[in-house]
Amino acid sequence: MRAVPNWAVATAAAAPLLLVAGWTVAEARQPAGYDPIRDTISELAGQEAVDAWIMITALVLLGCCYLAVAAVLHAAGLPSRFLLAVGGVATIALVAFPRPTVGGSLSHGIAATVAVLALALWPAGSALWLPRGHDTEHPSRPDPPWAFRRAVGLSATVVLLALFGWCAYEVTSGSRTGLAERVTAVAVSLWPLLAILSARRAHLAWAVGGATAIGPTLPTGGVVPPDPLGPTIGPAPRRPDRLP
């Protein structure tokens, strides 16, 4: 099990902070008509937004955080890391396809859908790839981190997909699109942090439990080792001053 570097933990923790700080500062720069409950985050980085560079920078850095975590989170397995990386690329693509002032954008909608779906499905990828719990066929293999166990990973994906469904409903026929989008965005940005903290904790536990014992390895399985402080088994040694 590979160690999780400190910078990776800091990067994962920065993702939700960048997201919330970005839209908070960008909202403060918008006219009075902007409503965070009704209006989306994408409008803050849109073509007619005031100081759109604020939200654009936050989204680019957010996508880079996802890519960095995917690069070092080896405990998640390759399928999950790939989905997390796809989510990071799609998040950056939102900037390349900004939302127009009037109407929608097919390219922007595709990028947003791919980003949310990839970030919602990646916990299930690790849950299906890794064993359910302790691997009885390979007892020496360490247990998977708790965030990557099957029940936890699948439950996380179910919750994130439910939030995605809420977003889809609000976009099509609701009036709280901004609220649904913000709740979903924070949820998907928090799971990489929880996953990387779980992997770091599992590695530390594995490193402590797998430490090399000091001293010789004694036999087990019913064989009682001799007492080094007890009497010697066998004929007693003769004193050098005694004659045979």
Side-chain angles (χ1 to χ4, degrees):
M1 183 178 293
R2 301 190 187 184
V4 178
N6 293 328
W7 65 262
V9 179
T11 301
L17 296 178
L18 284 169
L19 183 62
V20 175
W23 79 48
T24 301
V25 176
E27 286 171 9
R29 300 293 300 156
Q30 303 311 308
Y34 182 85
D35 183 4
I37 303 298
R38 180 193 65 226
D39 301 324
T40 65
I41 302 172
S42 299
E43 295 181 30
L44 299 174
Q47 298 174 355
E48 299 297 327
V50 179
D51 291 336
W53 64 270
I54 298 174
M55 200 64 225
I56 289 174
T57 303
L59 289 174
V60 171
L61 293 177
L62 177 64
C64 292
C65 289
Y66 292 148
L67 290 173
V69 173
V72 299
L73 194 57
H74 300 281
L78 189 57
S80 285
R81 295 168 63 194
F82 174 76
L83 287 173
L84 182 57
V86 169
V89 172
T91 301
I92 299 174
L94 291 172
V95 176
F97 305 104
R99 182 173 179 176
T101 306
V102 180
S105 170
L106 179 61
S107 301
H108 183 84
I110 292 175
T113 302
V114 170
V116 178
L117 280 179
L119 294 172
L121 291 174
W122 83 273
S126 60
L128 296 175
W129 179 75
L130 294 172
R132 294 175 181 268
H134 185 70
D135 192 352
T136 56
E137 296 182 358
H138 304 87
S140 61
R141 182 176 297 174
D143 294 340
W146 66 265
F148 304 137
R149 294 175 185 174
R150 190 160 300 182
V152 178
L154 293 179
S155 298
T157 291
V158 169
V159 172
L160 295 178
L161 287 178
L163 291 175
F164 173 74
W166 180 30
C167 281
Y169 168 78
E170 294 294 341
V171 168
T172 55
S173 57
S175 59
R176 296 174 293 181
T177 306
L179 176 62
E181 190 179 65
R182 281 162 173 78
V183 172
T184 305
V186 170
V188 298
S189 68
L190 282 174
W191 190 253
L193 174 60
L194 295 177
I196 209 164
L197 289 176
S198 172
R200 183 179 178 88
R201 179 181 179 184
H203 175 266
L204 293 176
W206 171 80
V208 172
T212 304
I214 300 175
T217 303
L218 297 178
T220 58
V223 179
V224 180
D227 184 3
L229 301 180
T232 305
I233 300 175
R238 293 178 300 175
R239 293 178 53 181
D241 57 344
R242 279 191 171 183
L243 295 177

